[in-house]
Amino acid sequence: MRRKVIAGNWKMNMLPNETIQFIEDLAPLVKDTEHEVILCVPYTDLFYALLTAQNTNIKIGAQNMHFAESGAYTGEVSGKMLKSINVEYVIIGHSERRQYFNETDETVNKKVKAAFEYALKPIVCVGETLEQREAGKVEEIITNQTKLALDGLTNEQVENTIIAYEPIWAIGTGKTATKEDANDAVKAIRKKIAEIYGQNVADGVIIQYGGSVKSSNAKELFSMSDIDGALVGGASLKADEFSKIVEFEK
Ligand code: 13P
């Protein structure tokens, strides 16, 4: 049985004082969960988040990184820098970064490789636009994004990658994919990983769903065969609501 991983993506929200308060509020609410809980916070909150989350079961991630170790890349943050303060996870290739910051399948792949160089665990995002869905291209798009993101990784690295299937039309829109559509997409991703890296590897990879996940729909999504948790945007900004997603069985 794969574990469930529930990760919050705060995007460009929350100040350090709000971060500390949030984690102090969340920690007692999720302390007994058997699921993995991750918060991916802005760079300016990372240090505060890591300190506040010490001695809790909440893990901390960043939302992006550069693929180079250091150098003349004004405004960027490297995997080495993230590792130096003990960040554990990093989101790579979120659709907002692909859309607004020229992230490509090639840079996603470079960043995933760089993440492993610094022992960071990548959460790699893939997903189709509404146009692509309507053209019947979901499987083609997301399996290709997955293949390119993971290109050149070892089996062990693939096993330690979290994939987040996030249909772009479902992000921040209140429209969630049906549980069947979400599960079919996640299954297609798993099948592609099996083709390239073998069934054993594919069976172990955590594949999340993301896109308007909230406490009222988490349980039905997480009851599906292949959905191993969620990457949560808006609903991860309130500790109480986010805790209910983590504790979806209750
Ligand atoms: P929402 O949950 O706000 O739709 O955002 C999803 C997302 O982009 C998480 O990475």
mmCIF file of all heavy atoms in Angstrom, residues 9 11 91 94 96 125 166 170-173 210-213 231-235, ligand 1:
data_model
loop_
_atom_site.group_PDB
_atom_site.id
_atom_site.type_symbol
_atom_site.label_atom_id
_atom_site.label_comp_id
_atom_site.label_asym_id
_atom_site.label_seq_id
_atom_site.Cartn_x
_atom_site.Cartn_y
_atom_site.Cartn_z
ATOM 1 N N ASN A 9 0.479 23.937 -1.167
ATOM 2 C CA ASN A 9 1.279 24.876 -1.967
ATOM 3 C C ASN A 9 0.722 26.266 -1.694
ATOM 4 O O ASN A 9 -0.344 26.608 -2.189
ATOM 5 C CB ASN A 9 1.163 24.510 -3.457
ATOM 6 C CG ASN A 9 1.827 25.547 -4.354
ATOM 7 O OD1 ASN A 9 2.553 26.418 -3.870
ATOM 8 N ND2 ASN A 9 1.583 25.451 -5.652
ATOM 9 N N LYS A 11 1.804 29.044 -2.675
ATOM 10 C CA LYS A 11 2.044 30.013 -3.760
ATOM 11 C C LYS A 11 2.591 31.311 -3.153
ATOM 12 O O LYS A 11 3.324 31.253 -2.174
ATOM 13 C CB LYS A 11 0.762 30.206 -4.581
ATOM 14 C CG LYS A 11 0.185 28.844 -5.020
ATOM 15 C CD LYS A 11 -0.894 28.917 -6.032
ATOM 16 C CE LYS A 11 -1.339 27.502 -6.390
ATOM 17 N NZ LYS A 11 -2.355 27.472 -7.429
ATOM 18 N N ILE A 91 8.788 21.794 -5.027
ATOM 19 C CA ILE A 91 7.875 21.670 -6.168
ATOM 20 C C ILE A 91 8.640 22.072 -7.428
ATOM 21 O O ILE A 91 9.354 23.073 -7.424
ATOM 22 C CB ILE A 91 6.644 22.598 -6.005
ATOM 23 C CG1 ILE A 91 5.810 22.188 -4.782
ATOM 24 C CG2 ILE A 91 5.777 22.587 -7.272
ATOM 25 C CD1 ILE A 91 4.657 23.155 -4.481
ATOM 26 N N HIS A 94 5.547 23.569 -11.640
ATOM 27 C CA HIS A 94 4.131 23.921 -11.454
ATOM 28 C C HIS A 94 3.631 24.630 -12.712
ATOM 29 O O HIS A 94 4.379 25.381 -13.348
ATOM 30 C CB HIS A 94 3.962 24.818 -10.221
ATOM 31 C CG HIS A 94 2.531 24.984 -9.832
ATOM 32 N ND1 HIS A 94 1.697 25.871 -10.475
ATOM 33 C CD2 HIS A 94 1.778 24.349 -8.907
ATOM 34 C CE1 HIS A 94 0.483 25.768 -9.935
ATOM 35 N NE2 HIS A 94 0.504 24.853 -8.989
ATOM 36 N N GLU A 96 1.887 27.142 -13.099
ATOM 37 C CA GLU A 96 2.040 28.605 -13.060
ATOM 38 C C GLU A 96 3.455 29.012 -13.436
ATOM 39 O O GLU A 96 3.671 30.059 -14.040
ATOM 40 C CB GLU A 96 1.650 29.132 -11.665
ATOM 41 C CG GLU A 96 0.133 29.066 -11.471
ATOM 42 C CD GLU A 96 -0.316 28.874 -10.029
ATOM 43 O OE1 GLU A 96 0.498 29.052 -9.104
ATOM 44 O OE2 GLU A 96 -1.501 28.535 -9.838
ATOM 45 N N CYS A 125 5.080 18.652 -11.143
ATOM 46 C CA CYS A 125 3.705 18.888 -11.579
ATOM 47 C C CYS A 125 3.546 18.677 -13.087
ATOM 48 O O CYS A 125 4.377 19.143 -13.877
ATOM 49 C CB CYS A 125 3.280 20.319 -11.266
ATOM 50 S SG CYS A 125 3.404 20.718 -9.525
ATOM 51 N N GLU A 166 -2.012 17.874 -12.021
ATOM 52 C CA GLU A 166 -2.829 19.066 -11.789
ATOM 53 C C GLU A 166 -3.383 19.584 -13.116
ATOM 54 O O GLU A 166 -2.698 20.337 -13.824
ATOM 55 C CB GLU A 166 -1.984 20.173 -11.152
ATOM 56 C CG GLU A 166 -1.409 19.828 -9.802
ATOM 57 C CD GLU A 166 -1.141 21.072 -8.962
ATOM 58 O OE1 GLU A 166 -0.500 22.007 -9.459
ATOM 59 O OE2 GLU A 166 -1.605 21.103 -7.819
ATOM 60 N N ALA A 170 -8.441 23.147 -13.576
ATOM 61 C CA ALA A 170 -9.018 22.890 -12.239
ATOM 62 C C ALA A 170 -8.303 23.683 -11.148
ATOM 63 O O ALA A 170 -8.712 23.645 -9.995
ATOM 64 C CB ALA A 170 -8.945 21.399 -11.929
ATOM 65 N N ILE A 171 -7.244 24.398 -11.520
ATOM 66 C CA ILE A 171 -6.444 25.102 -10.508
ATOM 67 C C ILE A 171 -7.075 26.453 -10.191
ATOM 68 O O ILE A 171 -7.230 27.301 -11.070
ATOM 69 C CB ILE A 171 -4.992 25.289 -10.995
ATOM 70 C CG1 ILE A 171 -4.310 23.931 -11.122
ATOM 71 C CG2 ILE A 171 -4.226 26.205 -10.048
ATOM 72 C CD1 ILE A 171 -2.896 23.996 -11.649
ATOM 73 N N GLY A 172 -7.457 26.636 -8.945
ATOM 74 C CA GLY A 172 -7.972 27.923 -8.482
ATOM 75 C C GLY A 172 -9.312 28.307 -9.079
ATOM 76 O O GLY A 172 -9.735 29.458 -8.993
ATOM 77 N N THR A 173 -9.990 27.355 -9.708
ATOM 78 C CA THR A 173 -11.241 27.672 -10.398
ATOM 79 C C THR A 173 -12.461 27.144 -9.657
ATOM 80 O O THR A 173 -13.589 27.483 -10.015
ATOM 81 C CB THR A 173 -11.259 27.005 -11.793
ATOM 82 O OG1 THR A 173 -11.068 25.585 -11.607
ATOM 83 C CG2 THR A 173 -10.154 27.539 -12.677
ATOM 84 N N GLY A 210 -4.112 17.424 -7.947
ATOM 85 C CA GLY A 210 -4.220 18.810 -7.480
ATOM 86 C C GLY A 210 -5.157 19.589 -8.370
ATOM 87 O O GLY A 210 -5.234 19.348 -9.580
ATOM 88 N N GLY A 211 -5.880 20.518 -7.777
ATOM 89 C CA GLY A 211 -6.838 21.345 -8.531
ATOM 90 C C GLY A 211 -8.137 21.432 -7.758
ATOM 91 O O GLY A 211 -8.960 20.515 -7.813
ATOM 92 N N SER A 212 -8.277 22.526 -6.985
ATOM 93 C CA SER A 212 -9.498 22.761 -6.204
ATOM 94 C C SER A 212 -9.830 21.623 -5.227
ATOM 95 O O SER A 212 -10.996 21.298 -5.027
ATOM 96 C CB SER A 212 -10.679 23.061 -7.142
ATOM 97 O OG SER A 212 -10.413 24.235 -7.907
ATOM 98 N N VAL A 213 -8.787 21.047 -4.641
ATOM 99 C CA VAL A 213 -9.031 20.057 -3.580
ATOM 100 C C VAL A 213 -9.404 20.811 -2.304
ATOM 101 O O VAL A 213 -8.789 21.815 -1.955
ATOM 102 C CB VAL A 213 -7.776 19.188 -3.327
ATOM 103 C CG1 VAL A 213 -8.002 18.265 -2.122
ATOM 104 C CG2 VAL A 213 -7.435 18.374 -4.563
ATOM 105 N N LEU A 231 -1.970 17.844 -3.921
ATOM 106 C CA LEU A 231 -1.244 19.103 -3.820
ATOM 107 C C LEU A 231 -2.336 20.174 -3.766
ATOM 108 O O LEU A 231 -3.122 20.313 -4.702
ATOM 109 C CB LEU A 231 -0.311 19.285 -5.028
ATOM 110 C CG LEU A 231 0.619 20.498 -4.996
ATOM 111 C CD1 LEU A 231 1.510 20.508 -3.753
ATOM 112 C CD2 LEU A 231 1.518 20.507 -6.245
ATOM 113 N N VAL A 232 -2.384 20.878 -2.645
ATOM 114 C CA VAL A 232 -3.523 21.737 -2.335
ATOM 115 C C VAL A 232 -3.095 23.196 -2.359
ATOM 116 O O VAL A 232 -2.138 23.571 -1.678
ATOM 117 C CB VAL A 232 -4.057 21.397 -0.921
ATOM 118 C CG1 VAL A 232 -5.324 22.194 -0.633
ATOM 119 C CG2 VAL A 232 -4.302 19.896 -0.772
ATOM 120 N N GLY A 233 -3.794 24.012 -3.130
ATOM 121 C CA GLY A 233 -3.485 25.445 -3.179
ATOM 122 C C GLY A 233 -4.305 26.210 -2.154
ATOM 123 O O GLY A 233 -4.014 26.211 -0.955
ATOM 124 N N GLY A 234 -5.375 26.853 -2.622
ATOM 125 C CA GLY A 234 -6.191 27.738 -1.787
ATOM 126 C C GLY A 234 -6.581 27.150 -0.437
ATOM 127 O O GLY A 234 -6.495 27.829 0.595
ATOM 128 N N ALA A 235 -6.986 25.896 -0.433
ATOM 129 C CA ALA A 235 -7.468 25.286 0.814
ATOM 130 C C ALA A 235 -6.337 24.939 1.781
ATOM 131 O O ALA A 235 -6.587 24.449 2.876
ATOM 132 C CB ALA A 235 -8.297 24.040 0.500
HETATM 133 P P1 13P B 1 -5.982 25.162 -5.899
HETATM 134 O O1 13P B 1 -6.092 24.078 -4.853
HETATM 135 O O2 13P B 1 -6.113 26.542 -5.319
HETATM 136 O O3 13P B 1 -6.897 24.907 -7.049
HETATM 137 O O4 13P B 1 -4.487 25.094 -6.463
HETATM 138 C C1 13P B 1 -3.966 23.876 -6.869
HETATM 139 C C2 13P B 1 -2.515 24.034 -7.096
HETATM 140 O O5 13P B 1 -2.088 24.688 -8.017
HETATM 141 C C3 13P B 1 -1.609 23.385 -6.148
HETATM 142 O O6 13P B 1 -0.314 23.379 -6.631
#
